[in-house]
Amino acid sequence: FVLICVAYLGAFVLHYGFPNPAARGPDPYAAMPGMLSASLAFVLVVKMLLLLVFQAYRGMWRYLDVADLMTLAKVSVLSGVILIVGLPFVVRGVIIPRSVLVIDFLLFTFLLIGSRVSFAALNDSFIRLQSRWEPRVLILGAGDLGELVLRSILRSHPAAYRPVGFLDPDPAMRNRTLH
């Protein structure tokens, strides 16, 4: 709810610029309360409904993968298309510039995905800080199984080991990083 409102209001502010009381001529902010009051409810309903339909909040926030990001991207793109096409039919008598809707799409996408990524990043950072004083361990094999072992060690609570590297006979794996 908050992200939707911040993105939509931010789109208007970025489109019209910040208020300047010393500016001459018509005030572009005079029409903004009418535009917001006429359209914000529809914007909230569309985006909240799509987040619900796509079950964007069912996943655990501390784990994030490409499928979660694709779900959030689908919600953002579909809501942007619905708003650009449907808003003129729903809100009669008020003209909302399409550039506001494009800016809203960009801000909403950034805020939505950024909020999920920030939770995963914070969780990862706290886990790495906790494991600083644990015994160090090398993992044998830098393939899929080694990555799974690494992820399991990093996410274990309380941390028992601190992974410091991989041992792998494949020369192609030299000087590579993983997580």
Side-chain angles (χ1 to χ4, degrees):
F1 177 81
V2 171
L3 294 180
I4 295 168
C5 292
V6 166
Y8 197 58
L9 181 61
F12 278 96
V13 170
L14 287 174
H15 176 75
Y16 289 110
F18 288 103
N20 184 2
R24 297 179 190 254
D27 183 16
Y29 279 89
M32 193 164 30
M35 287 189 275
L36 281 170
S37 65
S39 61
L40 184 59
F42 181 68
V43 170
L44 282 168
V45 166
V46 166
K47 291 184 180 184
M48 294 292 279
L49 191 63
L50 286 174
L51 287 167
L52 195 85
V53 167
F54 281 94
Q55 300 176 348
Y57 290 103
R58 288 196 69 188
M60 295 178 68
W61 281 50
R62 64 181 177 184
Y63 303 116
L64 184 67
D65 63 358
V66 175
D68 292 329
L69 294 176
M70 290 304 294
T71 299
L72 297 176
K74 287 176 191 175
V75 167
S76 186
V77 168
L78 191 56
S79 67
V81 169
I82 290 172
L83 291 178
I84 286 175
V85 172
L87 204 55
F89 295 112
V90 173
V91 180
R92 301 259 183 209
V94 177
I95 298 172
I96 297 172
R98 292 199 190 272
S99 59
V100 168
L101 299 177
V102 171
I103 295 169
D104 171 61
F105 161 74
L106 294 172
L107 285 176
F108 179 64
T109 304
F110 177 76
L111 291 173
L112 187 64
I113 292 175
S115 66
R116 290 292 296 266
V117 169
S118 68
F119 274 94
L122 283 173
N123 185 54
D124 188 57
S125 297
F126 287 132
I127 287 172
R128 288 180 192 272
L129 283 174
Q130 285 177 336
S131 69
R132 200 177 273 186
W133 297 278
E134 304 303 329
R136 296 177 178 168
V137 65
L138 287 172
I139 299 171
L140 294 175
D144 291 338
L145 187 57
E147 190 271 340
L148 184 63
V149 169
L150 173 65
R151 203 172 344 144
S152 176
I153 291 172
L154 289 176
R155 298 226 166 111
S156 64
H157 294 287
Y161 302 102
R162 179 179 178 213
V164 292
F166 289 92
L167 293 175
D168 197 294
D170 185 3
M173 296 293 185
R174 265 191 211 135
N175 297 323
R176 309 288 306 262
T177 60
L178 184 64
H179 293 288

